[in-house]
Amino acid sequence: MQKYEEAHKILKDIPLNLQTERVAVNEAFNRVLAEDLYTDFSFPDCQKSAVDGYALVMWDKNEYRIKGESVPGDLKSAKLQTGECIFVMTGGIVPDNADAVVRVEDVVEENGQIRLNRQPEKGVNINLAGEEFPEHALFAEHGRLLNDLAYPALCYSGKKDVKVYKKPKIGVFVTGDEILEPGNDYRKGHVFNTNRYILLSLLKYLPADIEYVGCFDDNEEEIAKVLEKSNE
Amino acid sequence: MQKYEEAHKILKDIPLNLQTERVAVNEAFNRVLAEDLYTDFSFPDCQKSAVDGYALVMWDKNEYRIKGESVPGDLKSAKLQTGECIFVMTGGIVPDNADAVVRVEDVVEENGQIRLNRQPEKGVNINLAGEEFPEHALFAEHGRLLNDLAYPALCYSGKKDVKVYKKPKIGVFVTGDEILEPGNDYRKGHVFNTNRYILLSLLKYLPADIEYVGCFDDNEEEIAKVLEKSNE
């Protein structure tokens, strides 16, 4: 019987020949990056609101006329004059010249205008352009696992596909003259195959191609053949 | 915006109409049991060896003639006379009248017999019949998740299929006039769909049927319709 440390060393010493492939971004979760990824635009690409509220240019009064609302992608309409505000949803574009976004909860809306109890602090509730990443910035490195942190950034980047390492192939086989498959008739002294199903059930959560190779008798030569064939 | 606690309470208060189905054992990983499971035979069903070694009936000498080996399922051949031993692999059947199994590492084998340095303790390296569960014993309860602990026991039990609760269905939709799909052309002020892919990627690790419903505009009526339709 090989000890765990010995088996681990044998596995670690096998030279790897890693191959890469391009996959669609929506297939890239839990894959390993084979390239550095750079932003094509700033994250976010213009200043945006952190809340549902009203973007405004501060002036000496506490009343602002509601000019309309921020429409995604319509950057031209988003210009504010003194005394105007526009409604903006969370994530919506905030006009370049806005000083702050006031939460809907903090205003009284009446007759096409809003009234504030007090002036907001400058810059409040505005996420600045490039706050997360500037343009042409490295946002995920070669070798990185595309999981909960890097994967949303990849989706956000708008890239169509991405270069990743090919999945490892895992072959599973079990050995034992005494093995029965669930569904076989019970025979005293034999055991129903358990390792096959627990291993395959757990392995399917890994980013790997899994193949069940079979169940083989306790025969050294036969098992050696199976290992050699699997290696082809 | 609903607070987390409020949303959780709403979800908890929805009456559930749980349905069941029978699935093959090899499809039952991570499903929830809808029946109590009883053993049809003892776990293990006869006494077995915990090691690769020699099963023997102790006598006043330290030499034992190797009679042969324990063959899975051939319970008849597994009878020992005084002074005899049989080779038995880990998990192999140990004759009813054996006193102990001595590890291969602890014997010297020569001329069809083994020699021990000292007599083993009685019962050593023998797993008793029914040691894990006797016959007709409850081994997994209704409501139990069939995961790493209960699932191998289910496989081991030799049952062909099992009654489980049907998987929940999870519909995912995203909202926002500003959403682009990866592959669409970049448009300043819009954002590429991120929630869709991260949610679907994470949800696929759950035992649930997942459906992507679509992306809808920020329109209360439209979203209400989507929710009503999903509920049908």
Side-chain angles (χ1 to χ4, degrees):
Chain A
M1 188 74 165
Q2 212 71 249
K3 282 191 188 138
Y4 171 78
E5 289 76 14
E6 291 165 358
H8 193 243
K9 188 174 180 325
I10 290 169
L11 286 174
K12 271 186 67 183
D13 288 349
I14 295 171
L16 288 178
N17 175 20
L18 294 176
Q19 295 182 309
T20 63
E21 61 184 335
R22 294 201 77 83
V23 298
V25 163
N26 60 352
E27 298 293 333
F29 187 73
N30 258 346
R31 302 292 298 267
V32 176
L33 261 182
E35 62 178 337
D36 290 331
L37 292 180
Y38 292 87
T39 55
D40 294 323
F41 52 84
S42 304
F43 289 8
D45 64 352
C46 54
Q47 61 179 9
K48 298 198 169 181
S49 179
V51 297
D52 289 352
Y54 294 90
L56 45 80
V57 184
M58 281 156 60
W59 69 329
D60 56 0
K61 299 200 178 75
N62 285 344
E63 264 123 48
Y64 295 83
R65 190 176 65 81
I66 302 171
K67 189 193 176 188
E69 61 181 283
S70 166
V71 177
D74 186 3
L75 298 169
K76 275 185 198 154
S77 74
K79 295 285 162 203
L80 288 169
Q81 306 299 324
T82 308
E84 282 180 351
C85 68
I86 60 168
F87 176 71
V88 54
M89 290 176 73
T90 306
I93 298 163
V94 171
D96 283 347
N97 64 335
D99 290 321
V101 178
V102 182
R103 298 192 308 166
V104 283
E105 299 93 318
D106 295 337
V107 309
V108 177
E109 187 197 328
E110 218 171 38
N111 299 326
Q113 59 175 31
I114 58 168
R115 197 173 60 248
L116 319 181
N117 292 328
R118 55 183 185 83
Q119 293 286 331
E121 283 180 62
K122 212 167 172 172
V124 75
N125 296 326
I126 294 176
N127 295 330
L128 299 177
E131 192 176 87
E132 295 178 48
F133 284 105
E135 201 178 343
H136 307 310
L138 179 69
F139 72 93
E141 314 82 48
H142 181 280
R144 175 83 181 252
L145 181 66
L146 290 170
N147 63 358
D148 8 350
L149 293 170
Y151 186 63
L154 171 60
C155 294
Y156 190 87
S157 76
K159 294 183 192 302
K160 293 179 174 67
D161 47 41
V162 63
K163 190 176 172 187
V164 294
Y165 286 102
K166 285 193 175 173
K167 294 183 197 174
K169 290 177 187 163
I170 301 181
V172 174
F173 67 95
V174 294
T175 64
D177 304 326
E178 75 282 19
I179 308 288
L180 300 173
E181 289 296 318
N184 289 162
D185 288 333
Y186 168 64
R187 291 165 66 190
K188 190 164 181 176
H190 287 64
V191 289
F192 285 98
N193 200 336
T194 303
N195 290 344
R196 169 180 176 175
Y197 297 100
I198 187 75
L199 277 173
L200 294 179
S201 295
L202 291 172
L203 289 171
K204 79 176 172 193
Y205 291 92
L206 292 183
D209 291 324
I210 315 293
E211 188 191 348
Y212 178 68
V213 180
C215 177
F216 302 96
D217 289 342
D218 290 314
N219 177 316
E220 208 164 313
E221 279 171 39
E222 193 180 349
I223 293 169
K225 267 187 215 158
V226 172
L227 285 171
E228 270 167 33
K229 195 147 182 289
S230 299
N231 201 27
E232 279 166 15
Chain B
M1 188 74 165
Q2 212 71 249
K3 281 189 188 142
Y4 172 77
E5 289 76 14
E6 293 164 359
H8 193 244
K9 188 176 179 325
I10 290 169
L11 286 175
K12 271 185 65 181
D13 288 349
I14 295 171
L16 288 178
N17 174 20
L18 294 176
Q19 295 182 308
T20 62
E21 63 184 334
R22 294 201 77 83
V23 299
V25 163
N26 59 351
E27 297 293 333
F29 186 74
N30 257 347
R31 301 295 296 269
V32 177
L33 260 183
E35 63 177 337
D36 290 331
L37 292 181
Y38 292 86
T39 56
D40 295 321
F41 52 85
S42 305
F43 288 9
D45 64 354
C46 53
Q47 60 180 10
K48 298 196 169 182
S49 179
V51 296
D52 290 351
Y54 292 90
L56 44 80
V57 183
M58 281 155 62
W59 69 329
D60 56 0
K61 300 199 176 77
N62 284 346
E63 265 122 49
Y64 295 83
R65 190 176 65 82
I66 302 171
K67 188 193 176 187
E69 63 182 283
S70 167
V71 177
D74 187 2
L75 298 168
K76 275 185 199 156
S77 74
K79 295 285 162 202
L80 287 170
Q81 306 300 324
T82 308
E84 284 180 349
C85 68
I86 60 169
F87 176 71
V88 54
M89 290 176 74
T90 307
I93 298 163
V94 171
D96 284 346
N97 64 337
D99 290 321
V101 179
V102 181
R103 299 191 308 168
V104 282
E105 299 94 315
D106 295 337
V107 310
V108 177
E109 188 198 325
E110 218 172 36
N111 300 327
Q113 58 174 34
I114 59 167
R115 197 174 60 247
L116 321 180
N117 293 326
R118 56 183 183 85
Q119 292 287 332
E121 281 179 63
K122 210 165 176 176
V124 75
N125 295 327
I126 294 177
N127 296 331
L128 300 177
E131 191 176 89
E132 294 179 48
F133 285 105
E135 202 178 344
H136 307 309
L138 179 68
F139 73 92
E141 315 82 48
H142 181 280
R144 174 83 181 252
L145 181 66
L146 290 169
N147 63 0
D148 7 350
L149 294 170
Y151 185 63
L154 171 60
C155 294
Y156 190 86
S157 76
K159 294 182 194 299
K160 292 180 174 66
D161 47 41
V162 63
K163 192 175 170 188
V164 294
Y165 286 102
K166 284 191 177 175
K167 294 184 198 175
K169 289 176 188 165
I170 302 181
V172 174
F173 67 95
V174 293
T175 64
D177 304 328
E178 75 281 21
I179 308 288
L180 301 173
E181 289 296 319
N184 289 162
D185 288 335
Y186 167 63
R187 292 164 66 192
K188 191 165 181 175
H190 287 63
V191 288
F192 285 98
N193 199 336
T194 302
N195 289 344
R196 170 180 176 175
Y197 298 101
I198 186 77
L199 277 173
L200 294 179
S201 295
L202 291 171
L203 289 171
K204 80 176 173 192
Y205 290 92
L206 292 182
D209 291 325
I210 315 294
E211 189 191 349
Y212 179 67
V213 180
C215 179
F216 302 96
D217 289 343
D218 290 315
N219 177 316
E220 209 165 311
E221 279 172 39
E222 192 180 349
I223 293 169
K225 267 188 215 157
V226 172
L227 285 171
E228 270 166 35
K229 195 149 182 288
S230 298
N231 201 27
E232 280 166 14

